[in-house]
Every structure is written in structure tokens, then in C-alpha cells.
Amino acid sequence: MEVINQASIQEIINQYANQEMYIHLETTNGAYTAFRNGTPFTSGVFIRNGKVQYEHGKITGNNPYRVGLKIDLGWIYAEGLTHCHITDDQLLLAGLDDQGRLAVSFQLSPHPFK
């Protein structure tokens, strides 16, 4: 994975707008537990192959970044994003903590994720 280049990610988000896309959004318990100063705390989100069509999207921030997608009746967003992997048909964004552990994953694809 590479460190996010904000302009490149914005360009891809713009290319996917107004198309049916599949989204994967996930947070992990392990990294969030560490954010609570050693106090056990569990939280998480998992959405895989959610079908969305967004009007527009935006990446904001200065590492870590926040990505938001405006959908018909609201918003989808993820924050804490630091790294990316771009393929021909997928945008993979991840938020890694200072030890390289995955905290959040946000992915878009025109095809369902396997």
C-alpha cells in the first residue's frame, strides 16, 4: 500500500460518481481498543458489497484523510484513512495506526467483492 495522494484519490472518486458501485467499509476492534489507552472498548462496522450510487464524493484532511460519498438520502464516510492501493477497477483505502495495524478499510469497485 502507498501513502494516499489526495489529488489522485479525488480523481478516482470523481470517475466513479453516478455509477452503481459496491462498497466495503470496515473498522476493526483491535486498533480501536488501542486508542482507548489500554481500556477495553469494542466497536466495529462491517459492510461488504453494499450497492451504492453516489452523486459526488470528496477526500478531505491532511493525513489522515476523510472520504465522504453523497448518496440519495445521506452520506457515507470513513475517516482515519492513510494508505491506498489502486487497481484497474478498485479503489482500496485503509487507515493504519502507528504500528501498521488496520483500523479502517474503505473500498469501492464496480464489481462485487469476493
Side-chain angles (χ1 to χ4, degrees):
M1 299 199 88
E2 300 174 8
V3 174
I4 287 176
N5 176 304
Q6 187 173 4
S8 297
I9 299 303
Q10 183 63 58
E11 185 175 319
I12 294 169
I13 290 170
N14 293 345
Q15 290 173 1
Y16 287 159
N18 298 307
Q19 300 178 44
E20 285 192 351
M21 300 296 294
Y22 291 89
I23 189 168
H24 175 90
L25 176 60
E26 179 178 3
T27 62
T28 61
N29 292 335
Y32 281 115
T33 299
F35 293 145
R36 293 287 183 182
N37 298 323
T39 302
F41 179 80
T42 301
S43 66
V45 170
F46 185 88
I47 300 170
R48 185 159 187 89
N49 289 322
K51 200 175 202 178
V52 299
Q53 183 168 341
Y54 60 92
E55 299 168 13
H56 64 272
K58 184 107 177 146
I59 181 168
T60 62
N62 186 19
N63 199 12
Y65 296 94
R66 176 177 173 169
V67 169
L69 304 177
K70 173 67 175 94
I71 58 175
D72 188 31
L73 298 175
W75 286 86
I76 298 170
Y77 78 87
E79 58 187 6
L81 300 165
T82 57
H83 290 76
C84 66
H85 180 73
I86 301 167
T87 68
D88 289 340
D89 62 354
Q90 289 186 352
L91 173 62
L92 313 172
L93 301 173
L96 306 179
D97 70 8
D98 58 354
Q99 297 179 15
R101 296 178 298 188
L102 181 66
V104 58
S105 175
F106 183 94
Q107 304 174 12
L108 285 172
S109 172
H111 310 289
F113 296 99
K114 295 179 182 176

